[in-house]
């Protein structure tokens, strides 16, 4: 019998959807190696492999068969995706063009690596970032530079503004995937994109206010307010937006500071200085990566009080997603400061979800862990932390938590899904 590789769903699916992989036509108990590979838009190669044995009927079902070693071990049906590693070190897997899929090649080899050589079967799997019917609309409205993703249908949808961190540019892959779950999402750039400032030297909150107003006035966005989703520097910008701007209903931040960071923030006649830092306090890991977690000043020290964001002014609830092994920010400390500050002002405690063993860069499910990468602005390798398996579990859970939180507070759905971790 010929060896066949089958996938469910067959052919293609969205990146954040699981896929069931099975191999049929093997000999009973036959040892095989499965390999996965993909290339990003820049041609960078990412690979993973695992060793398996077929069952007594010659079937290998990754939902039932544990990996015996390789890039991972144990029962991990999606391990060949989240365990992908770059051929070129320090390369982070990101999706630059959401209009095209990532193409994953799966191969089955006879025997266990390194002896495995003979190719038994292969399959090609396409993983999309735009769900069927989702529209991608570039936005150049006034000063706003962004991309809007709209789900299919005639009704208005709950709106979200999505901000990334200090690498700048326009990142669309999280927004495009969220739109597939019923949200109108604006992926918002704020520097290092087109005619926006090249460097993060001076930030005006009026720019973000213009983006919020764009969403509130859009006929496909359901009011009366919008949600904010921010990662790293984008997270503290979302905290500032929620504290000073009108029309913000709910805010989620991923590994962010409770003080304004990296550049002064201006709004009307107000200036919030950036949190102090001391670059001489950086350390270098055994692998030679920069670890910046200790360079930041304490937001509670008197000299930094003016940089603290007045969260108590916000009208809507907060969700803090916290990586316990974040080596860029003291995210756990900052979430605790936020909770104490809100309670001291008679506000509800924020929802905080802590993820052990998780690094700084929390992406949608099945993106592999990036423990270190060359920073787009600094040009130096920066350590982010995390362990692959724990990080994968956290990303899958956080993705569900994000959707649940926004559906509850933007869409009026009362069901709350508790964190698995």
């Amino acid at each position: 019998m010929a060896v066949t590789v089958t996938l469910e769903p067959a052919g293609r699916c969205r990146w954040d959807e699981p896929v069931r992989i099975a191999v049929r036509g093997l000999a009973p108990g036959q040892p095989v190696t499965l390999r996965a590979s993909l290339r990003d838009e820049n041609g960078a190669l990412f690979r993973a492999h695992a060793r398996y044995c077929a069952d007594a009927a010659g079937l290998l079902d990754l939902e039932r068969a544990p990996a015996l070693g390789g890039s991972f071990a144990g029962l991990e049906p999606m391990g060949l995706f989240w365990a992908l590693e770059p051929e070129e070190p320090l390369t982070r897997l990101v999706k630059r063009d959401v209009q095209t899929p990532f193409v994953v090649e799966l191969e089955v080899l006879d025997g266990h690596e390194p002896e495995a050589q003979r190719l038994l079967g292969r399959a090609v799997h396409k993983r999309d970032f735009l769900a069927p019917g989702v529209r991608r609309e570039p936005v150049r409205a006034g000063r706003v530079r962004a991309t809007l993703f709209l789900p299919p249908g005639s009704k208005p949808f709950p709106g979200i503004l999505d901000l990334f961190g200090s690498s700048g540019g326009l990142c669309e892959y999280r927004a495009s995937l969220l739109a597939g779950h019923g949200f109108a999402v604006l992926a918002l750039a704020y520097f290092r994109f087109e005619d926006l400032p090249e460097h993060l030297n001076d930030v005006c909150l009026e720019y973000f206010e213009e983006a919020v107003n764009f969403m509130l006035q859009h006929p496909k966005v359901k009011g009366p307010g919008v949600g904010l989703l921010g990662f790293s520097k984008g997270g503290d910008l979302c905290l500032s937006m929620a504290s000073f701007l009108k029309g913000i209903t709910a805010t989620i931040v991923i590994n962010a500071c409770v003080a304004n960071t990296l550049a002064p923030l201006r709004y009307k006649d107000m200036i919030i200085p950036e949190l102090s830092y001391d670059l001489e306090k950086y350390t270098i890991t055994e692998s030679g990566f920069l670890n910046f977690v200790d360079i930041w000043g304490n937001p509670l020290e008197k000299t930094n009080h003016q940089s603290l964001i007045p969260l108590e002014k916000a009208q809507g609830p907060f969700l803090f997603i916290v990586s316990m092994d974040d080596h860029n920010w003291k995210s756990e400390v900052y979430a605790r400061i936020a909770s104490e500050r809100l309670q001291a002002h008679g506000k509800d405690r924020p929802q905080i979800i802590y993820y052990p063993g998780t690094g700084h860069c929390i992406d949608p499910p099945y993106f592999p862990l990036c423990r270190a990468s060359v920073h787009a602005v600094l040009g130096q390798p920066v350590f982010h932390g995390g362990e692959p398996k724990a990080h994968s579990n956290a990303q899958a859970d956080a993705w569900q938590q994000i959707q649940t939180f926004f559906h509850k507070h933007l869409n009026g759905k009362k069901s709350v899904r508790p964190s698995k971790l």
Side-chain angles (χ1 to χ4, degrees), residues 26 30-34 50-54 60 108-112 120:
L26 298 170
Q30 182 176 352
V32 292
T33 298
L34 267 62
R51 297 185 288 274
Y52 293 93
C53 285
L60 174 61
V108 183
L109 297 153
D110 186 23
H112 286 164
L120 300 176

Side-chain angles (χ1 to χ4, degrees), residues 112-412:
H112 286 164
E113 287 194 338
E115 288 78 18
Q117 292 183 353
R118 186 167 64 96
L119 180 66
L120 300 176
R122 65 185 294 272
V124 173
H125 180 54
K126 295 181 178 180
R127 298 184 66 78
D128 293 307
F129 286 78
L130 286 175
V134 169
R135 294 181 359 231
R136 176 187 179 273
E137 298 183 355
V139 175
R140 305 295 183 268
R143 293 178 296 176
V144 175
R145 302 292 177 264
T147 303
L148 178 62
F149 294 92
L150 295 171
S154 58
K155 64 180 181 179
F157 299 92
I160 299 169
L161 281 77
D162 184 24
L163 281 70
F164 273 76
S166 60
S167 294
L170 179 59
C171 295
E172 299 183 356
Y173 60 90
R174 188 168 61 195
S176 67
L177 289 172
L178 266 180
H181 296 277
F183 300 100
V185 190
L186 186 75
L188 181 64
Y190 54 96
F191 80 108
R192 291 190 73 238
F193 182 73
E194 294 185 353
D195 57 349
L196 294 174
E198 181 65 21
H199 302 288
L200 198 63
N201 295 328
D202 198 50
V203 182
C204 294
L205 203 58
E206 284 87 352
Y207 172 78
F208 301 92
E209 187 173 39
E210 194 172 334
V212 170
N213 290 336
F214 169 83
M215 289 291 280
L216 291 174
Q217 295 164 11
H218 199 285
K220 298 293 287 184
V221 174
K222 175 183 177 181
V226 294
L228 304 176
L229 174 59
F231 161 69
S232 196
K233 172 58 187 175
D236 77 62
L237 284 170
C238 285
L239 295 180
S240 293
M241 294 165 69
S243 301
F244 293 109
L245 305 182
K246 296 179 181 179
I248 308 302
T249 300
T251 303
I252 300 177
V253 296
I254 303 171
N255 294 329
C257 188
V258 288
N260 179 53
T261 63
L262 299 177
L265 179 68
R266 303 176 186 273
Y267 184 54
K268 298 179 178 177
D269 57 353
M270 175 196 69
I271 300 177
I272 299 182
E274 71 268 35
L275 181 69
S276 66
Y277 60 90
D278 183 354
L279 287 176
E280 293 185 359
K281 291 185 178 180
Y282 77 86
T283 58
I284 299 178
T285 69
E286 292 182 359
S287 301
F289 306 141
L290 300 178
N291 187 339
F292 285 135
V293 73
D294 291 325
I295 72 171
W296 306 106
N298 183 351
L300 297 181
E301 289 182 354
K302 187 175 182 180
T303 54
N304 286 317
H305 275 186
Q306 286 188 319
S307 70
L308 273 170
I309 300 165
L311 305 178
E312 66 278 2
K313 293 184 178 182
Q315 298 302 308
F318 293 100
L319 167 60
F320 285 79
I321 292 174
V322 175
S323 293
M324 302 288 280
D325 196 32
D326 184 358
H327 284 264
N328 295 98
W329 300 105
K330 296 181 179 179
S331 301
E332 181 182 1
V333 173
Y334 300 149
R336 187 170 65 247
I337 292 173
S339 181
E340 292 170 353
R341 183 179 182 111
L342 287 168
Q343 291 180 83
H345 286 83
K347 298 281 188 171
D348 292 337
R349 284 193 308 173
Q351 182 182 351
I352 305 175
I353 304 177
Y354 300 97
Y355 292 111
T358 305
H360 180 64
C361 306
I362 292 186
D363 275 320
Y366 315 127
F367 274 96
L369 167 68
C370 178
R371 299 196 77 225
S373 65
V374 177
H375 195 278
V377 175
L378 299 174
Q380 298 290 323
V382 176
F383 184 58
H384 305 306
E387 294 299 329
K389 172 57 178 169
H391 195 87
S392 172
N393 288 342
Q395 289 190 152
D397 188 77
W399 191 238
Q400 292 298 326
Q401 296 298 325
I402 289 168
Q403 295 171 51
T404 296
F405 185 85
F406 279 141
H407 275 306
K408 176 186 177 183
H409 296 291
L410 301 179
N411 221 7

Side-chain angles (χ1 to χ4, degrees), residues 50-52 62 65-69 72-77:
R51 297 185 288 274
Y52 293 93
L62 268 59
L68 306 177
F72 56 92
L75 188 62
E76 300 292 344

